[in-house]
Amino acid sequence: KKDFSELPVLMTKVAEQELIQLDRRVLECNVMYLPQLGYFVRNSFLPIYKGIKCLCTGRPGILNLEITAKLYYKSNYTKELDRLLGDTQSEICDHESGIMHSLQNTILQHVSVLLKALNFAAEIDCFISISSFSKDNNLVFPRFVNDKIIKKKKKQNNQ
């Protein structure tokens, strides 16, 4: 994630280096990241370059895409970013998914203990609620029994 958070600064530096090497008529240059495809240079498309080479001076790219008057292509710098960083976003997602899957498996291994603890906490919550209500309304303190049926004796009505 550290590499991913530093990407904007690194991509800006690469774009500045690319702009130095481009034809003077190219006024803007960006480096973009496309998931699963990697890093690309993006700049204004000049019709004189159509279908031949990238806007780099004499350097052919691996993949050239012309979309809405913008040209996307791989340069030596973006190839290096691909090699060094790879598909960072996908790697982060894969790693986080692996952590969540491991956590899920651990929880499932101990589900019976967790359910017992949950039931115990629910019983305690019920006892505290009954006791609190009894105390607040000056009722007799409940007597706890092991039976699953609650029998009321000497009940008091505050009406």
Side-chain angles (χ1 to χ4, degrees):
K1 283 192 172 185
K2 181 180 178 253
D3 290 342
F4 191 69
S5 67
E6 294 172 355
L7 272 178
V9 173
L10 181 60
M11 291 168 69
T12 301
K13 288 179 182 176
V14 170
E16 290 169 355
Q17 291 296 316
E18 287 291 335
L19 192 56
I20 292 169
Q21 296 181 19
L22 293 174
D23 188 301
R24 285 179 287 146
R25 292 175 287 182
V26 177
L27 302 176
E28 68 172 328
C29 176
N30 304 88
V31 173
M32 297 184 61
Y33 170 74
L34 300 173
Q36 306 292 321
L37 296 176
Y39 298 90
F40 284 84
V41 176
R42 181 186 93 167
N43 52 35
S44 301
F45 179 71
L46 298 176
I48 60 171
Y49 291 104
K50 188 170 186 169
I52 302 175
K53 292 184 179 179
C54 297
L55 295 178
C56 307
T57 53
R59 295 183 314 181
I62 295 174
L63 178 61
N64 298 337
L65 303 169
E66 178 189 343
I67 305 171
T68 63
K70 299 287 181 187
L71 182 67
Y72 299 78
Y73 62 90
K74 292 275 188 182
S75 70
N76 290 336
Y77 290 118
T78 56
K79 289 178 203 173
E80 186 66 15
L81 284 177
D82 287 338
R83 190 185 68 73
L84 290 174
L85 300 174
D87 200 354
T88 308
Q89 188 176 16
S90 295
E91 288 176 13
I92 290 171
C93 290
D94 290 346
H95 188 65
E96 288 174 346
S97 294
I99 290 170
M100 292 303 293
H101 185 68
S102 177
L103 176 62
Q104 177 185 354
N105 287 339
T106 302
I107 289 171
L108 289 175
Q109 287 174 356
H110 303 287
V111 72
S112 62
V113 174
L114 292 171
L115 287 175
K116 285 179 185 177
L118 183 65
N119 287 333
F120 183 69
E123 282 185 43
I124 289 176
D125 184 50
C126 289
F127 292 151
I128 291 172
S129 295
I130 292 170
S131 298
S132 176
F133 180 80
S134 296
K135 182 180 177 188
D136 293 346
N137 293 294
N138 295 323
L139 303 176
V140 293
F141 189 79
R143 187 172 57 102
F144 300 110
V145 293
N146 290 332
D147 298 338
K148 293 186 180 195
I149 298 175
I150 299 175
K151 298 176 186 174
K152 300 178 196 173
K153 292 183 181 178
K154 298 182 185 178
K155 61 183 175 177
Q156 178 179 348
N157 190 344
N158 284 343
Q159 296 180 5

